[in-house]
Amino acid sequence: MNRVAKKSQRQSGRSGSVRIISGQWRGRRLPVLDAEGLRPSTDRTRETLFNWLMTDVQDAKVLDVFAGSGVLGLESLSRYASDATFIEKNSQAVAQLKKNLALLKVQAVVHQGDALQVLAGLSQPYGLIFIDPPFQHDLVNPTLNALQQHGLIAEHAKIYVEQEANAPQLVLPEGLSVLKQKQTGQLSYYLLTA
């Protein structure tokens, strides 16, 4: 299928699905919006990530920045995170995420809007933070800075970053360090610790 056809299908709001890979909702498929810039993390990437986070998810306060489908936050809730806050700009993706939360009968906070503006209005620190922004927008470093500036990084927090392989190099705010990193084809992903 050519790029133009793919783009028009995305813009039409066509749906796909994601699968929760472990925890209380293991194997559950949830509908997600197929929209421009939304790329739910693959099962393989999530398996690697949640193997890294094995001892950090239960009872964690989770922040899913650039949530898209919300699959990272939902996977955390499936593995008994205490609560989750989602930030997403796309109104249709937000509506679908709210439907999925209702389907799973789970309470969570969902903010619609520009992530950097929403972060400025949050007040509690989070122990588990996911940063997986749309590609080619150079949002990772400004997001890390905003998280630190607004006191949103809990002591010993883990922060997962996923970005395109050719993205600008990570510039870590003081107090953060890289715990793990991996690169596959077009993706670079990192687990940071506070």
Side-chain angles (χ1 to χ4, degrees), residues 78-131:
S78 181
R79 295 165 189 246
Y80 305 100
S82 68
D83 60 67
T85 299
F86 298 87
I87 303 172
E88 173 53 44
K89 193 172 187 175
N90 182 304
S91 60
Q92 291 177 301
V94 166
Q96 185 62 66
L97 176 54
K98 287 180 177 178
K99 284 180 192 170
N100 286 340
L101 289 164
L103 195 65
L104 296 168
K105 297 180 174 71
V106 65
Q107 294 287 322
V109 177
V110 181
H111 295 278
Q112 184 190 341
D114 178 86
L116 297 177
Q117 291 174 10
V118 173
L119 289 174
L122 299 180
S123 57
Q124 70 168 346
Y126 296 88
L128 186 53
I129 301 170
F130 299 111
I131 303 171

Side-chain angles (χ1 to χ4, degrees), residues 9 48 58-59 65 69 71 83 85 88 95 98 100 103 106 115 118 132 136-137 139 145 160 178 186 193:
Q9 273 189 341
T48 298
Q58 189 168 337
D59 299 324
V65 189
S69 68
V71 71
D83 60 67
T85 299
E88 173 53 44
K98 287 180 177 178
N100 286 340
L103 195 65
V106 65
V118 173
D132 181 9
Q136 310 303 328
H137 287 83
L139 289 166
N145 289 330
Y160 172 73
V178 176
Q186 301 174 353
T193 187

